[in-house]
Amino acid sequence: EVQLVESGGGLVQPGGSLRLSCAASGFTLSTYEMNWVRQAPGKGLEWVSYISSSGNTMYYADSVNGRFTISRDNAKNSLYLQMNSLRAEDTAVYYCARGRALGPDYWGQGTLVTVSS
Amino acid sequence: QTVVTQEPSLTVSPGGAVTLTCASSTGAVTSGFYPSWFQQKPGQAPRALVYSTSNKHSWTPARFSGSLLGGKAALTLSGVQPEDEAEYYCLLYYGGYWVFGGGTKLTVL
């Protein structure tokens, strides 16, 4: 059974940093592209970042480019999102999602990040 | 800034049919945008329904189908069930980034 479990969310002050993790199981992580998608409270979905199966190619939404870094450790079956210079508008539930044919198929349950003083 | 537009809300009767659409501010949506569709119910994570325009996942009910219609991506529900009441999102690929539509709230009434 494919499972994606996010962790690392919490309350952080504006300007602070946080590192999200996504533990993958039930499939071989190294053969799949991965994404981070977020959803602000009461709002729609926003694509955040993509990483290729090898980790050689990364893409970012303009809203996070230069502040967030996606990475993966296939040996540890884990995906990461390093978030720096956090702003109030980064407050959201962050989902990791497995990629298939340039669209996510399996999604985790999400981890809440709250940026507030 | 690229904008993907969906109907904000639609209402359908149980057993009826409804088509949700997904338009791009850059012009006509083609298969090269790899349109995908997702369903989200309150308090739950999104669930993928369709990928690459019209391909269904193994868990996608047969009553859901994806297509291209009049320059837009489309998701058609036939024989709507009460449990289909949810928010539906489309996602388009622009070659190096993706953009979600704003979502369509589907009410089954």
Side-chain angles (χ1 to χ4, degrees), chain B residues 48-78:
Chain B
L49 295 173
V50 169
Y51 65 97
S52 295
T53 306
S54 58
N55 295 280
K56 299 179 190 180
H57 294 283
S58 59
W59 54 81
T60 304
R63 61 184 180 275
F64 291 86
S65 63
S67 64
L68 294 175
L69 200 62
K72 301 178 183 181
L75 178 71
T76 299
L77 287 70
S78 304

PDB file of all heavy atoms in Angstrom, chain B residues 48-78:
ATOM      1  N   ALA B  48      -6.650  12.061  -6.396  1.00  0.00           N
ATOM      2  CA  ALA B  48      -6.513  12.167  -7.847  1.00  0.00           C
ATOM      3  C   ALA B  48      -7.607  11.356  -8.545  1.00  0.00           C
ATOM      4  O   ALA B  48      -7.936  10.247  -8.109  1.00  0.00           O
ATOM      5  CB  ALA B  48      -5.137  11.666  -8.276  1.00  0.00           C
ATOM      6  N   LEU B  49      -8.157  11.919  -9.613  1.00  0.00           N
ATOM      7  CA  LEU B  49      -9.200  11.246 -10.380  1.00  0.00           C
ATOM      8  C   LEU B  49      -8.749  10.918 -11.803  1.00  0.00           C
ATOM      9  O   LEU B  49      -8.968   9.813 -12.300  1.00  0.00           O
ATOM     10  CB  LEU B  49     -10.455  12.118 -10.468  1.00  0.00           C
ATOM     11  CG  LEU B  49     -11.203  12.419  -9.181  1.00  0.00           C
ATOM     12  CD1 LEU B  49     -12.309  13.440  -9.444  1.00  0.00           C
ATOM     13  CD2 LEU B  49     -11.794  11.134  -8.598  1.00  0.00           C
ATOM     14  N   VAL B  50      -8.171  11.900 -12.473  1.00  0.00           N
ATOM     15  CA  VAL B  50      -7.813  11.775 -13.892  1.00  0.00           C
ATOM     16  C   VAL B  50      -6.433  12.388 -14.111  1.00  0.00           C
ATOM     17  O   VAL B  50      -6.099  13.409 -13.496  1.00  0.00           O
ATOM     18  CB  VAL B  50      -8.847  12.504 -14.779  1.00  0.00           C
ATOM     19  CG1 VAL B  50      -8.366  12.631 -16.219  1.00  0.00           C
ATOM     20  CG2 VAL B  50     -10.205  11.801 -14.725  1.00  0.00           C
ATOM     21  N   TYR B  51      -5.631  11.779 -14.986  1.00  0.00           N
ATOM     22  CA  TYR B  51      -4.344  12.346 -15.361  1.00  0.00           C
ATOM     23  C   TYR B  51      -4.178  12.310 -16.881  1.00  0.00           C
ATOM     24  O   TYR B  51      -4.855  11.529 -17.564  1.00  0.00           O
ATOM     25  CB  TYR B  51      -3.181  11.607 -14.667  1.00  0.00           C
ATOM     26  CG  TYR B  51      -3.015  10.158 -15.086  1.00  0.00           C
ATOM     27  CD1 TYR B  51      -2.090   9.795 -16.060  1.00  0.00           C
ATOM     28  CD2 TYR B  51      -3.776   9.161 -14.486  1.00  0.00           C
ATOM     29  CE1 TYR B  51      -1.935   8.473 -16.435  1.00  0.00           C
ATOM     30  CE2 TYR B  51      -3.631   7.831 -14.860  1.00  0.00           C
ATOM     31  CZ  TYR B  51      -2.707   7.494 -15.827  1.00  0.00           C
ATOM     32  OH  TYR B  51      -2.554   6.183 -16.203  1.00  0.00           O
ATOM     33  N   SER B  52      -3.295  13.176 -17.371  1.00  0.00           N
ATOM     34  CA  SER B  52      -3.032  13.255 -18.822  1.00  0.00           C
ATOM     35  C   SER B  52      -4.335  13.291 -19.621  1.00  0.00           C
ATOM     36  O   SER B  52      -4.556  12.459 -20.517  1.00  0.00           O
ATOM     37  CB  SER B  52      -2.168  12.072 -19.264  1.00  0.00           C
ATOM     38  OG  SER B  52      -0.896  12.142 -18.675  1.00  0.00           O
ATOM     39  N   THR B  53      -5.156  14.247 -19.299  1.00  0.00           N
ATOM     40  CA  THR B  53      -6.412  14.561 -19.986  1.00  0.00           C
ATOM     41  C   THR B  53      -7.550  13.585 -19.670  1.00  0.00           C
ATOM     42  O   THR B  53      -8.637  14.017 -19.246  1.00  0.00           O
ATOM     43  CB  THR B  53      -6.241  14.619 -21.514  1.00  0.00           C
ATOM     44  OG1 THR B  53      -5.196  15.532 -21.853  1.00  0.00           O
ATOM     45  CG2 THR B  53      -7.544  15.036 -22.190  1.00  0.00           C
ATOM     46  N   SER B  54      -7.326  12.282 -19.900  1.00  0.00           N
ATOM     47  CA  SER B  54      -8.463  11.366 -19.867  1.00  0.00           C
ATOM     48  C   SER B  54      -8.167  10.015 -19.221  1.00  0.00           C
ATOM     49  O   SER B  54      -9.043   9.138 -19.240  1.00  0.00           O
ATOM     50  CB  SER B  54      -8.959  11.127 -21.295  1.00  0.00           C
ATOM     51  OG  SER B  54      -7.913  10.598 -22.094  1.00  0.00           O
ATOM     52  N   ASN B  55      -6.994   9.866 -18.665  1.00  0.00           N
ATOM     53  CA  ASN B  55      -6.646   8.582 -18.055  1.00  0.00           C
ATOM     54  C   ASN B  55      -7.119   8.515 -16.607  1.00  0.00           C
ATOM     55  O   ASN B  55      -6.891   9.447 -15.839  1.00  0.00           O
ATOM     56  CB  ASN B  55      -5.130   8.370 -18.109  1.00  0.00           C
ATOM     57  CG  ASN B  55      -4.627   8.243 -19.525  1.00  0.00           C
ATOM     58  OD1 ASN B  55      -4.728   7.205 -20.144  1.00  0.00           O
ATOM     59  ND2 ASN B  55      -4.119   9.343 -20.063  1.00  0.00           N
ATOM     60  N   LYS B  56      -7.769   7.418 -16.261  1.00  0.00           N
ATOM     61  CA  LYS B  56      -8.269   7.267 -14.901  1.00  0.00           C
ATOM     62  C   LYS B  56      -7.288   6.454 -14.052  1.00  0.00           C
ATOM     63  O   LYS B  56      -6.606   5.568 -14.550  1.00  0.00           O
ATOM     64  CB  LYS B  56      -9.616   6.548 -14.914  1.00  0.00           C
ATOM     65  CG  LYS B  56     -10.695   7.293 -15.677  1.00  0.00           C
ATOM     66  CD  LYS B  56     -11.993   6.515 -15.679  1.00  0.00           C
ATOM     67  CE  LYS B  56     -12.991   7.140 -16.630  1.00  0.00           C
ATOM     68  NZ  LYS B  56     -14.270   6.402 -16.657  1.00  0.00           N
ATOM     69  N   HIS B  57      -7.251   6.755 -12.781  1.00  0.00           N
ATOM     70  CA  HIS B  57      -6.494   5.936 -11.844  1.00  0.00           C
ATOM     71  C   HIS B  57      -7.301   4.687 -11.539  1.00  0.00           C
ATOM     72  O   HIS B  57      -8.493   4.607 -11.842  1.00  0.00           O
ATOM     73  CB  HIS B  57      -6.213   6.735 -10.575  1.00  0.00           C
ATOM     74  CG  HIS B  57      -5.312   7.909 -10.796  1.00  0.00           C
ATOM     75  ND1 HIS B  57      -3.945   7.781 -10.945  1.00  0.00           N
ATOM     76  CD2 HIS B  57      -5.580   9.230 -10.923  1.00  0.00           C
ATOM     77  CE1 HIS B  57      -3.414   8.982 -11.141  1.00  0.00           C
ATOM     78  NE2 HIS B  57      -4.390   9.880 -11.134  1.00  0.00           N
ATOM     79  N   SER B  58      -6.636   3.723 -10.925  1.00  0.00           N
ATOM     80  CA  SER B  58      -7.291   2.432 -10.679  1.00  0.00           C
ATOM     81  C   SER B  58      -8.498   2.573  -9.754  1.00  0.00           C
ATOM     82  O   SER B  58      -9.402   1.758  -9.774  1.00  0.00           O
ATOM     83  CB  SER B  58      -6.283   1.445 -10.089  1.00  0.00           C
ATOM     84  OG  SER B  58      -5.742   1.943  -8.881  1.00  0.00           O
ATOM     85  N   TRP B  59      -8.500   3.622  -8.947  1.00  0.00           N
ATOM     86  CA  TRP B  59      -9.572   3.822  -7.964  1.00  0.00           C
ATOM     87  C   TRP B  59     -10.671   4.766  -8.451  1.00  0.00           C
ATOM     88  O   TRP B  59     -11.645   5.008  -7.751  1.00  0.00           O
ATOM     89  CB  TRP B  59      -8.981   4.365  -6.664  1.00  0.00           C
ATOM     90  CG  TRP B  59      -8.165   5.617  -6.877  1.00  0.00           C
ATOM     91  CD1 TRP B  59      -8.622   6.899  -7.010  1.00  0.00           C
ATOM     92  CD2 TRP B  59      -6.739   5.694  -7.000  1.00  0.00           C
ATOM     93  NE1 TRP B  59      -7.581   7.748  -7.207  1.00  0.00           N
ATOM     94  CE2 TRP B  59      -6.405   7.060  -7.212  1.00  0.00           C
ATOM     95  CE3 TRP B  59      -5.716   4.765  -6.953  1.00  0.00           C
ATOM     96  CZ2 TRP B  59      -5.096   7.476  -7.375  1.00  0.00           C
ATOM     97  CZ3 TRP B  59      -4.419   5.178  -7.124  1.00  0.00           C
ATOM     98  CH2 TRP B  59      -4.109   6.523  -7.326  1.00  0.00           C
ATOM     99  N   THR B  60     -10.517   5.311  -9.636  1.00  0.00           N
ATOM    100  CA  THR B  60     -11.473   6.303 -10.124  1.00  0.00           C
ATOM    101  C   THR B  60     -12.760   5.616 -10.602  1.00  0.00           C
ATOM    102  O   THR B  60     -12.708   4.745 -11.477  1.00  0.00           O
ATOM    103  CB  THR B  60     -10.877   7.103 -11.288  1.00  0.00           C
ATOM    104  OG1 THR B  60      -9.648   7.713 -10.871  1.00  0.00           O
ATOM    105  CG2 THR B  60     -11.853   8.183 -11.748  1.00  0.00           C
ATOM    106  N   PRO B  61     -13.903   6.024 -10.035  1.00  0.00           N
ATOM    107  CA  PRO B  61     -15.169   5.430 -10.486  1.00  0.00           C
ATOM    108  C   PRO B  61     -15.415   5.664 -11.971  1.00  0.00           C
ATOM    109  O   PRO B  61     -15.020   6.706 -12.516  1.00  0.00           O
ATOM    110  CB  PRO B  61     -16.226   6.157  -9.633  1.00  0.00           C
ATOM    111  CG  PRO B  61     -15.477   6.627  -8.423  1.00  0.00           C
ATOM    112  CD  PRO B  61     -14.107   6.963  -8.922  1.00  0.00           C
ATOM    113  N   ALA B  62     -16.072   4.725 -12.616  1.00  0.00           N
ATOM    114  CA  ALA B  62     -16.304   4.784 -14.063  1.00  0.00           C
ATOM    115  C   ALA B  62     -17.130   5.995 -14.468  1.00  0.00           C
ATOM    116  O   ALA B  62     -17.069   6.434 -15.616  1.00  0.00           O
ATOM    117  CB  ALA B  62     -16.981   3.503 -14.519  1.00  0.00           C
ATOM    118  N   ARG B  63     -17.899   6.558 -13.540  1.00  0.00           N
ATOM    119  CA  ARG B  63     -18.777   7.694 -13.898  1.00  0.00           C
ATOM    120  C   ARG B  63     -17.992   8.996 -14.111  1.00  0.00           C
ATOM    121  O   ARG B  63     -18.559   9.987 -14.564  1.00  0.00           O
ATOM    122  CB  ARG B  63     -19.855   7.904 -12.837  1.00  0.00           C
ATOM    123  CG  ARG B  63     -19.346   8.226 -11.447  1.00  0.00           C
ATOM    124  CD  ARG B  63     -20.526   8.322 -10.463  1.00  0.00           C
ATOM    125  NE  ARG B  63     -20.093   8.631  -9.105  1.00  0.00           N
ATOM    126  CZ  ARG B  63     -19.698   7.729  -8.232  1.00  0.00           C
ATOM    127  NH1 ARG B  63     -19.660   6.454  -8.566  1.00  0.00           N
ATOM    128  NH2 ARG B  63     -19.324   8.096  -7.016  1.00  0.00           N
ATOM    129  N   PHE B  64     -16.714   9.004 -13.782  1.00  0.00           N
ATOM    130  CA  PHE B  64     -15.876  10.177 -14.018  1.00  0.00           C
ATOM    131  C   PHE B  64     -15.123  10.000 -15.340  1.00  0.00           C
ATOM    132  O   PHE B  64     -14.540   8.944 -15.586  1.00  0.00           O
ATOM    133  CB  PHE B  64     -14.847  10.361 -12.906  1.00  0.00           C
ATOM    134  CG  PHE B  64     -15.425  10.771 -11.578  1.00  0.00           C
ATOM    135  CD1 PHE B  64     -15.895   9.815 -10.693  1.00  0.00           C
ATOM    136  CD2 PHE B  64     -15.503  12.117 -11.220  1.00  0.00           C
ATOM    137  CE1 PHE B  64     -16.432  10.190  -9.472  1.00  0.00           C
ATOM    138  CE2 PHE B  64     -16.033  12.493  -9.997  1.00  0.00           C
ATOM    139  CZ  PHE B  64     -16.498  11.531  -9.122  1.00  0.00           C
ATOM    140  N   SER B  65     -15.109  11.033 -16.178  1.00  0.00           N
ATOM    141  CA  SER B  65     -14.322  10.964 -17.402  1.00  0.00           C
ATOM    142  C   SER B  65     -13.731  12.325 -17.731  1.00  0.00           C
ATOM    143  O   SER B  65     -14.374  13.357 -17.512  1.00  0.00           O
ATOM    144  CB  SER B  65     -15.170  10.461 -18.569  1.00  0.00           C
ATOM    145  OG  SER B  65     -16.226  11.352 -18.836  1.00  0.00           O
ATOM    146  N   GLY B  66     -12.506  12.320 -18.262  1.00  0.00           N
ATOM    147  CA  GLY B  66     -11.823  13.549 -18.624  1.00  0.00           C
ATOM    148  C   GLY B  66     -11.715  13.686 -20.133  1.00  0.00           C
ATOM    149  O   GLY B  66     -11.660  12.697 -20.860  1.00  0.00           O
ATOM    150  N   SER B  67     -11.678  14.942 -20.604  1.00  0.00           N
ATOM    151  CA  SER B  67     -11.591  15.189 -22.037  1.00  0.00           C
ATOM    152  C   SER B  67     -11.125  16.619 -22.273  1.00  0.00           C
ATOM    153  O   SER B  67     -10.874  17.373 -21.330  1.00  0.00           O
ATOM    154  CB  SER B  67     -12.967  14.986 -22.687  1.00  0.00           C
ATOM    155  OG  SER B  67     -13.904  15.946 -22.198  1.00  0.00           O
ATOM    156  N   LEU B  68     -10.999  16.960 -23.561  1.00  0.00           N
ATOM    157  CA  LEU B  68     -10.788  18.343 -23.985  1.00  0.00           C
ATOM    158  C   LEU B  68     -12.061  18.778 -24.685  1.00  0.00           C
ATOM    159  O   LEU B  68     -12.612  18.055 -25.517  1.00  0.00           O
ATOM    160  CB  LEU B  68      -9.593  18.446 -24.932  1.00  0.00           C
ATOM    161  CG  LEU B  68      -8.224  18.112 -24.331  1.00  0.00           C
ATOM    162  CD1 LEU B  68      -7.159  18.138 -25.417  1.00  0.00           C
ATOM    163  CD2 LEU B  68      -7.890  19.069 -23.192  1.00  0.00           C
ATOM    164  N   LEU B  69     -12.504  19.984 -24.342  1.00  0.00           N
ATOM    165  CA  LEU B  69     -13.789  20.454 -24.853  1.00  0.00           C
ATOM    166  C   LEU B  69     -13.704  21.944 -25.122  1.00  0.00           C
ATOM    167  O   LEU B  69     -13.545  22.746 -24.189  1.00  0.00           O
ATOM    168  CB  LEU B  69     -14.859  20.172 -23.799  1.00  0.00           C
ATOM    169  CG  LEU B  69     -16.325  20.124 -24.190  1.00  0.00           C
ATOM    170  CD1 LEU B  69     -16.571  19.002 -25.181  1.00  0.00           C
ATOM    171  CD2 LEU B  69     -17.190  19.914 -22.947  1.00  0.00           C
ATOM    172  N   GLY B  70     -13.777  22.302 -26.406  1.00  0.00           N
ATOM    173  CA  GLY B  70     -13.814  23.723 -26.739  1.00  0.00           C
ATOM    174  C   GLY B  70     -12.629  24.509 -26.220  1.00  0.00           C
ATOM    175  O   GLY B  70     -12.783  25.629 -25.726  1.00  0.00           O
ATOM    176  N   GLY B  71     -11.429  23.937 -26.287  1.00  0.00           N
ATOM    177  CA  GLY B  71     -10.245  24.658 -25.846  1.00  0.00           C
ATOM    178  C   GLY B  71     -10.018  24.617 -24.349  1.00  0.00           C
ATOM    179  O   GLY B  71      -9.170  25.352 -23.828  1.00  0.00           O
ATOM    180  N   LYS B  72     -10.780  23.796 -23.672  1.00  0.00           N
ATOM    181  CA  LYS B  72     -10.625  23.656 -22.219  1.00  0.00           C
ATOM    182  C   LYS B  72     -10.473  22.179 -21.862  1.00  0.00           C
ATOM    183  O   LYS B  72     -10.879  21.300 -22.626  1.00  0.00           O
ATOM    184  CB  LYS B  72     -11.850  24.212 -21.488  1.00  0.00           C
ATOM    185  CG  LYS B  72     -12.145  25.675 -21.741  1.00  0.00           C
ATOM    186  CD  LYS B  72     -13.419  26.092 -20.993  1.00  0.00           C
ATOM    187  CE  LYS B  72     -13.794  27.530 -21.288  1.00  0.00           C
ATOM    188  NZ  LYS B  72     -15.023  27.937 -20.543  1.00  0.00           N
ATOM    189  N   ALA B  73      -9.911  21.919 -20.699  1.00  0.00           N
ATOM    190  CA  ALA B  73      -9.977  20.571 -20.143  1.00  0.00           C
ATOM    191  C   ALA B  73     -11.334  20.428 -19.474  1.00  0.00           C
ATOM    192  O   ALA B  73     -11.888  21.417 -18.968  1.00  0.00           O
ATOM    193  CB  ALA B  73      -8.864  20.343 -19.149  1.00  0.00           C
ATOM    194  N   ALA B  74     -11.853  19.211 -19.491  1.00  0.00           N
ATOM    195  CA  ALA B  74     -13.183  18.999 -18.929  1.00  0.00           C
ATOM    196  C   ALA B  74     -13.225  17.704 -18.124  1.00  0.00           C
ATOM    197  O   ALA B  74     -12.544  16.731 -18.454  1.00  0.00           O
ATOM    198  CB  ALA B  74     -14.223  18.952 -20.049  1.00  0.00           C
ATOM    199  N   LEU B  75     -14.037  17.743 -17.069  1.00  0.00           N
ATOM    200  CA  LEU B  75     -14.308  16.552 -16.259  1.00  0.00           C
ATOM    201  C   LEU B  75     -15.817  16.373 -16.254  1.00  0.00           C
ATOM    202  O   LEU B  75     -16.543  17.274 -15.816  1.00  0.00           O
ATOM    203  CB  LEU B  75     -13.794  16.725 -14.834  1.00  0.00           C
ATOM    204  CG  LEU B  75     -14.061  15.547 -13.885  1.00  0.00           C
ATOM    205  CD1 LEU B  75     -13.185  14.356 -14.263  1.00  0.00           C
ATOM    206  CD2 LEU B  75     -13.816  15.949 -12.430  1.00  0.00           C
ATOM    207  N   THR B  76     -16.276  15.238 -16.749  1.00  0.00           N
ATOM    208  CA  THR B  76     -17.697  14.951 -16.808  1.00  0.00           C
ATOM    209  C   THR B  76     -18.048  13.855 -15.814  1.00  0.00           C
ATOM    210  O   THR B  76     -17.366  12.833 -15.744  1.00  0.00           O
ATOM    211  CB  THR B  76     -18.120  14.525 -18.225  1.00  0.00           C
ATOM    212  OG1 THR B  76     -17.847  15.604 -19.135  1.00  0.00           O
ATOM    213  CG2 THR B  76     -19.607  14.203 -18.270  1.00  0.00           C
ATOM    214  N   LEU B  77     -19.098  14.120 -15.041  1.00  0.00           N
ATOM    215  CA  LEU B  77     -19.636  13.128 -14.122  1.00  0.00           C
ATOM    216  C   LEU B  77     -20.991  12.700 -14.659  1.00  0.00           C
ATOM    217  O   LEU B  77     -21.870  13.547 -14.888  1.00  0.00           O
ATOM    218  CB  LEU B  77     -19.804  13.698 -12.715  1.00  0.00           C
ATOM    219  CG  LEU B  77     -18.563  13.956 -11.864  1.00  0.00           C
ATOM    220  CD1 LEU B  77     -17.746  15.122 -12.392  1.00  0.00           C
ATOM    221  CD2 LEU B  77     -18.959  14.183 -10.404  1.00  0.00           C
ATOM    222  N   SER B  78     -21.168  11.408 -14.851  1.00  0.00           N
ATOM    223  CA  SER B  78     -22.430  10.869 -15.338  1.00  0.00           C
ATOM    224  C   SER B  78     -23.030   9.941 -14.286  1.00  0.00           C
ATOM    225  O   SER B  78     -22.314   9.105 -13.750  1.00  0.00           O
ATOM    226  CB  SER B  78     -22.211  10.099 -16.645  1.00  0.00           C
ATOM    227  OG  SER B  78     -21.587  10.915 -17.610  1.00  0.00           O
TER     228      SER B  78
END
